[in-house]
Amino acid sequence: MEISTLATYHCLAFVWYFFIAYSITHIRTEERPSEVFLYGGQWKYLTVLNLVLQAIFYGVSFLADVLRLIKKLRCAKCVITSRDLLFSVLAFPVSTFVSISFWTLYIYNRELVYPKSLDGVIPLWLNHAMHTAVLPFAVLEILAMPHRYPAKKKGLILLGFVTFLYISWVLWIYSVTGEWVYPLFALFSPAGLAAFFTGSLAVIISFYNFGEFLNRMIWGQSKFCF
């Protein structure tokens, strides 16, 4: 893609994700079902955190495109490094995990992840924007341009660390409120929950590897060390 075309795409994607994140975080208090959006607000949900992550990624991508267009190559190099790290370690695997895990559990039993009471609060289009559109956006980004992946060990350490932070946040909320972020977690014993979290980490790592595989198959080997 031409840089100008990429800049237009990244700008539109940034505006889209900013709009979606704004929409979900500004649901009026009186409209919220009593069993959701309590302690931690929307910020306890991986879906909402992913929307913010995607907005940041596309904002950084747009900045990189603009710097390349105006020939600020020294600054662009640093921003491009940040862009590729964000995409490879977080933006692609997290958005893929959010979309696939949500719809898998939704089909099995929606009450475990998305109670029916939310239908009167979150319109259908917004649900699909949060849980469906994120996946094709991630795949389109790989098709649009190559991304340099970090050394495998460093990439997985960073991904594991961010996953650990989110799990710690979930456990902290439970310790304070006695309620799980997702009703699904209440079905597990402590050992079962540990196994579930471990399995989820394995799945998100597989999505990281899949993104790297797609990038390499389409664009060839493209790595950087830091």
Side-chain angles (χ1 to χ4, degrees), residues 201-211:
L201 176 60
V203 170
I204 201 169
I205 286 175
S206 72
F207 291 147
Y208 171 92
N209 289 328
F210 181 62

Side-chain angles (χ1 to χ4, degrees), residues 178-215:
E179 300 288 338
W180 288 109
V181 171
Y182 298 103
L184 169 68
F185 298 157
L187 301 179
F188 296 105
S189 65
L193 192 62
F196 178 82
F197 285 147
T198 301
S200 297
L201 176 60
V203 170
I204 201 169
I205 286 175
S206 72
F207 291 147
Y208 171 92
N209 289 328
F210 181 62
E212 184 179 30
F213 170 77
L214 284 180
N215 186 75

Side-chain angles (χ1 to χ4, degrees), residues 49-189:
L49 295 176
N50 180 57
L51 294 175
V52 175
L53 167 65
Q54 300 303 319
I56 293 172
F57 165 70
Y58 283 105
V60 171
S61 297
F62 176 61
L63 176 60
D65 297 334
V66 170
L67 290 173
R68 291 170 66 195
L69 283 171
I70 63 176
K71 307 300 183 182
K72 299 289 186 178
L73 299 183
R74 181 174 297 180
C75 295
K77 184 177 180 180
C78 179
V79 177
I80 288 171
T81 298
S82 300
R83 177 203 68 193
D84 288 346
L85 190 62
L86 267 174
F87 180 78
S88 62
V89 176
L90 294 177
F92 182 85
V94 173
S95 60
T96 305
F97 179 83
V98 164
S99 182
I100 292 178
S101 62
F102 174 83
W103 287 113
T104 299
L105 291 169
Y106 185 97
I107 292 170
Y108 174 71
N109 183 354
R110 65 169 297 175
E111 294 298 320
L112 298 177
V113 290
Y114 194 82
K116 194 171 180 62
S117 57
L118 286 175
D119 288 346
V121 179
I122 300 176
L124 183 62
W125 72 267
L126 185 53
N127 182 20
H128 282 293
M130 295 188 297
H131 297 116
T132 306
V134 292
L135 182 54
F137 262 107
V139 174
L140 181 58
E141 180 64 22
I142 284 185
L143 296 175
M145 61 182 301
H147 296 82
R148 293 172 296 175
Y149 273 67
K152 178 64 68 72
K153 181 178 179 180
K154 293 179 179 179
L156 293 181
I157 287 175
L158 286 172
L159 177 59
F161 177 70
V162 173
T163 303
F164 172 78
L165 288 179
Y166 179 69
I167 292 174
S168 298
W169 174 228
V170 168
L171 294 176
W172 171 258
I173 291 172
Y174 178 74
S175 72
V176 172
T177 66
E179 300 288 338
W180 288 109
V181 171
Y182 298 103
L184 169 68
F185 298 157
L187 301 179
F188 296 105
S189 65

Side-chain angles (χ1 to χ4, degrees), residues 38-56:
L38 298 176
Y39 184 88
Q42 294 95 329
W43 307 111
K44 61 186 175 183
Y45 297 110
L46 185 59
T47 294
V48 178
L49 295 176
N50 180 57
L51 294 175
V52 175
L53 167 65
Q54 300 303 319
I56 293 172

